[in-house]
Amino acid sequence: MDDIVKAALKKWPNVPHCVGWLALDARGDWYMRDDRIQAAGPFPQVKGSRILHDKLREFIHRNYEHDEAGAWFFQNGPQRVYVELEAAPWVLRVLEGRVHTHTGLPAQVSSTWLDEYGRLFAATERGIGLVHTQDMHDAAQVLEAGGWPAPQELLFAGLPARFGYRLSPQRDGHGG
């Protein structure tokens, strides 16, 4: 977490949490969801405005965490901004057998999972992540070479409970 964020938390420890305003899609892109977008429908059916500003994305990445209840958030100074997740808290990129998260952190795969939509998820020391669609060829090569455990099948609806995360803290009545 950034030092400036830690300082803000000490200075203003009781700032209310924010829900519904930030989302992470299945490709690792961040979206801002203002009141109008939230009223138009739930994420990911209505995504909002994709965050394109590099410095803002980097700031979110450095301050992306989860709470004890499995809800993921971005610590924005003293305010905790809870994240709506399309699929998983991490989107994993695979290049030449190496894995890193959408935030750039290295990750080691301990198990793999296929959902009913054919999407590949991987459990890592950082938590569960969805393998990016553009990296499926590289992931398949790693699997075929025995570099990762063979995928087990699991319905998508069962992933959050099994891996301890919340897709929507807002709908769960959490974080507000």
Side-chain angles (χ1 to χ4, degrees):
M1 192 176 295
D2 287 0
D3 288 339
I4 193 168
V5 171
K6 291 176 188 174
L9 281 167
K10 285 181 183 173
K11 188 172 183 178
W12 299 290
N14 298 314
V15 174
H17 300 321
C18 177
V19 294
W21 283 74
L22 184 63
L24 177 67
D25 78 357
R27 296 179 64 81
D29 291 324
W30 296 102
Y31 287 85
M32 291 295 300
R33 297 178 37 79
D34 62 20
D35 285 330
R36 181 184 60 81
I37 294 298
Q38 290 181 52
F43 185 77
Q45 289 80 10
V46 181
K47 286 193 172 184
S49 301
R50 188 168 159 231
I51 297 174
L52 299 173
H53 192 277
D54 288 338
K55 296 294 182 191
L56 177 55
R57 285 196 325 251
E58 291 168 8
F59 183 60
I60 292 170
H61 290 173
R62 289 191 310 271
N63 297 286
Y64 182 54
E65 299 281 343
H66 65 88
D67 66 16
E68 64 287 341
W72 287 78
F73 62 89
F74 154 55
Q75 190 69 49
N76 184 23
Q79 186 171 55
R80 192 173 276 192
V81 180
Y82 280 93
V83 178
E84 300 288 310
L85 302 172
E86 182 173 353
W90 300 107
V91 176
L92 302 174
R93 301 306 311 253
V94 182
L95 180 61
E96 297 176 356
R98 291 187 311 276
V99 179
H100 65 274
T101 68
H102 67 282
T103 65
L105 298 172
Q108 297 295 316
V109 173
S110 57
S111 64
T112 58
W113 303 83
L114 279 175
D115 73 3
E116 67 270 30
Y117 307 109
R119 297 181 297 183
L120 180 63
F121 291 81
T124 75
E125 75 281 12
R126 302 193 184 284
I128 189 76
L130 173 65
V131 174
H132 195 288
T133 56
Q134 290 181 331
D135 298 342
M136 288 302 292
H137 178 75
D138 288 327
Q141 288 182 322
V142 174
L143 282 165
E144 289 173 359
W148 297 342
Q152 301 174 57
E153 291 185 12
L154 181 62
L155 293 176
F156 176 67
L159 281 164
R162 180 170 190 114
F163 292 100
Y165 69 96
R166 295 171 181 257
L167 288 172
S168 178
Q170 184 177 27
R171 284 192 302 267
D172 293 346
H174 180 77

